[in-house]
Amino acid sequence: MKQDDIHIDLVSDPRLLASVRGLVRTYLVNEGFSSERAGEIVLAVDEACTNAMRHSYGGKGEGRLRLTVRLHDGAIEFILKDRGVPVAPEKCERKELAAPAPDALTPGGLGVQLMYSVFDDVKFSPGKKAGNRVVMRIKRPDKEK
């Protein structure tokens, strides 16, 4: 049975990400995740939101995002939707990356790979003309053993 626990509708404004991070962290700790593991998940959800703001809406702050969090079949699902520019499918692919040299690190480009490394399952669904949907699933701690 799916049960939507949280729906957040927010303007595409990075100033709101701190509130989203706080809410997601509290939810995860209440579901039994360690503080360290919750931090990794929060960072990946933050990356998904940031990517939507930056790439779907071009950082203009005029679009809207919807984040749904729910329990489903022993896992927690984070579903992020936007109505911006659809992302190119090749930008959402999982890639095997070698660790870059510290002096070669530049901002950007690793958020999608972070999502794949943190979650058990990630599915991107870009719209044909507009919008994107990403579903990120992770098993609840009591189901990992």
Side-chain angles (χ1 to χ4, degrees):
M1 178 176 147
K2 292 182 180 180
Q3 174 187 334
D4 294 349
D5 291 336
I6 299 173
H7 288 286
I8 306 170
D9 288 303
L10 64 146
V11 175
S12 176
D13 184 337
R15 293 178 303 164
L16 301 174
L17 290 174
S19 297
V20 173
R21 289 190 300 268
L23 180 65
V24 169
R25 173 179 289 283
T26 300
Y27 182 87
L28 291 167
V29 170
N30 287 339
E31 287 297 324
F33 286 90
S34 69
S35 179
E36 181 178 338
R37 188 69 174 132
E40 294 170 352
I41 298 166
V42 167
L43 180 59
V45 172
D46 183 83
E47 283 293 328
C49 293
T50 300
N51 282 348
M53 291 176 180
R54 184 175 296 153
H55 301 296
S56 295
Y57 295 118
K60 295 180 182 173
E62 298 168 352
R64 297 197 72 84
L65 306 176
R66 179 170 222 191
L67 178 65
T68 300
V69 183
R70 66 184 177 196
L71 299 174
H72 176 59
D73 198 23
I76 298 175
E77 287 183 341
F78 294 87
I79 303 166
L80 181 66
K81 296 179 184 178
D82 68 65
R83 295 180 183 265
V85 176
V87 66
E90 64 271 14
K91 299 269 186 184
C92 307
E93 295 174 351
R94 184 179 198 135
K95 299 174 184 165
E96 296 300 324
L97 301 175
D103 59 345
L105 288 174
T106 57
L110 298 176
V112 170
Q113 302 314 311
L114 174 69
M115 287 179 246
Y116 281 117
S117 71
V118 168
F119 287 97
D120 297 319
D121 188 41
V122 178
K123 287 192 172 95
F124 287 92
S125 302
K128 289 183 180 176
K129 294 185 179 180
N132 296 284
R133 180 178 189 257
V134 59
V135 179
M136 301 167 281
R137 289 179 47 93
I138 191 160
K139 292 178 187 168
R140 293 173 69 190
D142 58 342
K143 302 290 183 183
E144 290 181 331
K145 297 177 184 173

